[in-house]
Amino acid sequence: YLPCHVSTHPRSRTNMAVTVAQFLSLAFVCALTPLALGEVYFKETFDDDWADRWVQSSNKQESGEAGSLLLSAGEFYGDAEADRGLQTSEDAKFYSYSSKIETPFAIDDKDLILQFSVKHEQNIDCGGGYIKLMGGDTNQESFDGDSQYNIMFGPDICGSSTKRVHVIFRHGDENYLIKDTIRCETDRLTHVYTLILHPDSTYEVRIDGEKKKDGSLYDDWEFELPKEIDDPEASKPDDWVNDAMIDDPEDVKPDDWDKETEQIEDPDAEMPDDWDQEFDGDWEAPMLPNPKYKGAFRAKRIENPDYVGVWEHPQAPNPDYVHVENVGKYPSNAYVAFELWQVKSGTIFDNIIVTDSIEEAEAFMEETFGKSKDAEKEMFDKAEEDKREKDKIEREAREAEREAAKEAEKEDEADTEVDDDGDDDDADANADDASDADADDASDDDVPDEEEPAVDEDDEDADDDAASPDDDEPVAHEEL
């Protein structure tokens, strides 16, 4: 469309030429500029300046129970730079962080979409992974678990009993949790959680773009008392037949039904030849199941001709019912916040968007999660494969060490046995030597002593005289 009329005047033709040039230039610029699909109230992808936009509350700071969020892409990712998010970094800590929405907005006559990604790469055992949308009266410096919020949304895992997506709306001073359980993702990869709230009080919950639950806020939350209750004036008639099936009165138990017993003696069993009744007692044959035994008699079942169906309590209007207006409507939404507690840290939060356009949220998810999920999964699988291979090598090494220890123990036992045998042999040898020695002594005792030659007494006296000096002659010192 050209905002001018066609004219043959030279200036008009010149003006038209300029206008056409401007139009083409504008069209070119528009082609390069992404078309806004709706209003985006808040968007966060977390960069190096994230701490300038997020405030850590003083909650649990004095007691030392407050944990810190750090910028990280984690152990596996699609893009090391683009996939950075805020990661819980300390076990068994409370995390209280909030960021201000630049222009607070109201939830009334437009859609609200709250979307963010969560990666429990630590294989979380117990802890929250949810986000909160908070009102304008929030004090960022001191907000905690008791601070009022408008919406709380996201996964919560604790043990095997709690693995659900929380969808909690505040109404008045009460927080209302969805009645049905929406199961959350429990693996270690990134997943995108999306809450869509429509102006007609209907909703939808998606995980990774797939619808998991939808319905009405009035049906799936207990904002109101039921419109109808059991009629207090009505009761089930005394003659109401409750049984749809009955025993066939024509089916009677036969007279010989109980003739056979449940067990019988083994007809092939015989008393052992070495059975001594005096010491062993009376011999009894082992019992076997009786193949002819029919069991307890049960008549055939037939439809009850008097049954008219299950009695349903008549309903009556609930006198206490009051319609609750403005469910899911919040005039002030001014902050996005994390307020959680985790036993095992490591969860990464990323790519938050708050908008009134489903298409805007879908495009943002495709731009972030869609680009990274396959590469992240590939990196995760490779890391798991490497871990399994490492564990296998370590396991085989430990097994080899155990086998080597067993072999060494066997060798030690064998050496001990050899030493014991050697000692016995030495003892036997010593015993043999001792026996031989005794035998030699015994032989010596048996051989008669040789007779000594006789000595003459006079010769003895002569020797004594020769050997002894005279008593009166002095003895030289040397001689002494």
Side-chain angles (χ1 to χ4, degrees):
Y1 171 75
L2 298 179
C4 62
H5 62 275
V6 178
S7 172
T8 58
H9 192 281
R11 177 176 290 183
S12 297
R13 288 196 296 270
T14 301
N15 290 341
M16 186 177 76
V18 172
T19 305
V20 170
Q22 292 173 339
F23 172 79
L24 293 176
S25 177
L26 179 62
F28 178 75
V29 172
C30 291
L32 296 180
T33 304
L35 180 63
L37 302 175
E39 187 172 359
V40 175
Y41 306 116
F42 183 89
K43 182 185 284 187
E44 177 66 84
T45 56
F46 297 108
D47 54 21
D48 292 330
D49 299 328
W50 73 271
D52 295 338
R53 301 183 297 274
W54 289 78
V55 176
Q56 183 178 15
S57 167
S58 61
N59 179 38
K60 305 294 183 180
Q61 295 276 6
E62 278 191 27
S63 64
E65 298 174 89
S68 298
L69 295 177
L70 305 178
L71 189 64
S72 174
E75 298 177 6
F76 38 87
Y77 41 77
D79 186 302
E81 185 74 15
D83 291 349
R84 292 186 301 171
L86 290 190
Q87 183 176 43
T88 57
S89 62
E90 301 172 80
D91 294 345
K93 296 290 185 179
F94 292 86
Y95 298 87
S96 306
Y97 284 77
S98 65
S99 182
K100 184 176 178 59
I101 297 174
E102 185 174 347
T103 303
F105 66 97
I107 302 175
D108 45 25
D109 58 350
K110 294 193 295 185
D111 287 339
L112 169 74
I113 296 87
L114 174 59
Q115 178 177 283
F116 69 114
S117 70
V118 182
K119 179 168 67 171
H120 291 310
E121 74 169 21
Q122 78 276 38
N123 195 18
I124 191 169
D125 51 0
C126 188
Y130 35 79
I131 196 169
K132 292 182 177 180
L133 188 59
M134 309 189 72
D137 57 351
T138 300
N139 185 336
Q140 288 185 275
E141 301 294 335
S142 62
F143 97 95
D144 56 21
D146 294 328
S147 299
Q148 192 176 78
Y149 58 85
N150 295 335
I151 299 173
M152 187 176 102
F153 171 64
D156 186 22
I157 296 174
C158 195
S160 58
S161 60
T162 302
K163 295 179 180 181
R164 66 180 302 167
V165 179
H166 278 313
V167 190
I168 302 177
F169 293 102
R170 177 186 62 81
H171 190 79
D173 293 328
E174 297 292 331
N175 297 325
Y176 294 87
L177 173 65
I178 188 172
K179 292 187 289 186
D180 295 337
T181 297
I182 306 172
R183 186 172 178 82
C184 66
E185 298 295 329
T186 58
D187 59 32
R188 300 170 60 195
L189 300 172
T190 297
H191 295 283
V192 177
Y193 291 83
T194 307
L195 171 64
I196 303 171
L197 183 61
H198 298 296
D200 62 355
S201 298
T202 59
Y203 74 99
E204 181 180 339
V205 173
R206 299 178 183 177
I207 301 179
D208 298 339
E210 179 182 348
K211 182 172 67 176
K212 298 297 182 180
K213 178 71 176 171
D214 65 350
S216 167
L217 299 185
Y218 289 100
D219 294 337
D220 295 341
W221 281 261
E222 295 180 341
F223 293 111
E224 299 179 333
L225 293 174
K227 294 181 179 180
E228 293 184 325
I229 59 173
D230 291 344
D231 186 351
E233 303 296 329
S235 60
K236 184 171 68 175
D238 295 335
D239 58 351
W240 188 273
V241 177
N242 297 308
D243 301 322
M245 304 292 289
I246 60 172
D247 291 343
D248 184 356
E250 304 294 331
D251 189 17
V252 181
K253 182 173 72 172
D255 295 337
D256 62 347
W257 184 270
D258 297 326
K259 180 179 178 181
E260 298 292 340
T261 58
E262 185 174 355
Q263 291 186 323
I264 58 172
E265 292 184 355
D266 184 354
D268 297 327
E270 296 181 355
M271 184 174 70
D273 295 336
D274 59 349
W275 187 273
D276 190 331
Q277 291 191 349
E278 182 177 351
F279 293 99
D280 299 330
D282 293 335
W283 181 81
E284 295 180 356
M287 304 299 288
L288 296 176
N290 186 355
K292 297 181 180 180
Y293 178 67
K294 300 178 182 179
F297 176 80
R298 292 183 178 86
K300 292 184 295 185
R301 303 283 287 175
I302 62 173
E303 293 183 0
N304 188 347
D306 297 326
Y307 180 70
V308 294
V310 177
W311 186 80
E312 296 181 359
H313 203 123
Q315 297 293 290
N318 184 355
D320 298 324
Y321 169 76
V322 176
H323 178 63
V324 177
E325 299 284 351
N326 299 321
V327 169
K329 310 291 186 184
Y330 304 101
S332 174
N333 299 275
Y335 300 92
V336 170
F338 294 107
E339 190 283 309
L340 6 115
W341 178 79
Q342 291 190 341
V343 174
K344 187 191 295 184
S345 63
T347 300
I348 298 176
F349 301 96
D350 200 6
N351 299 324
I352 307 168
I353 186 170
V354 183
T355 178
D356 63 2
S357 169
I358 298 174
E359 293 78 16
E360 192 79 49
E362 291 174 339
F364 184 55
M365 184 181 76
E366 185 59 33
E367 176 188 342
T368 53
F369 174 71
K371 287 183 178 180
S372 296
K373 63 176 182 177
D374 292 338
E376 179 189 287
K377 179 68 164 58
E378 183 178 347
M379 189 174 183
F380 171 77
D381 291 341
K382 180 64 168 58
E384 289 295 290
E385 182 181 349
D386 292 345
K387 182 178 181 298
R388 285 191 295 269
E389 184 63 26
K390 180 182 177 182
D391 291 344
K392 178 183 177 182
I393 293 173
E394 293 177 351
R395 186 169 58 251
E396 290 175 348
R398 289 193 298 269
E399 185 63 28
E401 289 178 2
R402 284 194 292 268
E403 291 298 324
K406 289 181 182 178
E407 291 298 324
E409 186 177 352
K410 290 180 181 179
E411 292 178 2
D412 290 343
E413 291 176 354
D415 293 342
T416 302
E417 291 177 358
V418 171
D419 291 342
D420 292 343
D421 291 343
D423 293 342
D424 293 342
D425 292 343
D426 292 342
D428 293 342
N430 292 336
D432 292 341
D433 292 342
S435 299
D436 293 343
D438 292 342
D440 292 342
D441 292 342
S443 299
D444 293 342
D445 292 341
D446 292 341
V447 177
D449 296 335
E450 294 182 0
E451 294 183 359
E452 296 181 359
V455 179
D456 184 70
E457 291 181 358
D458 293 335
D459 293 337
E460 291 180 359
D461 292 338
D463 293 336
D464 291 338
D465 292 338
S468 302
D470 292 340
D471 293 337
D472 295 336
E473 186 175 355
V475 179
H477 178 72
E478 288 79 2
E479 293 177 345
L480 289 176

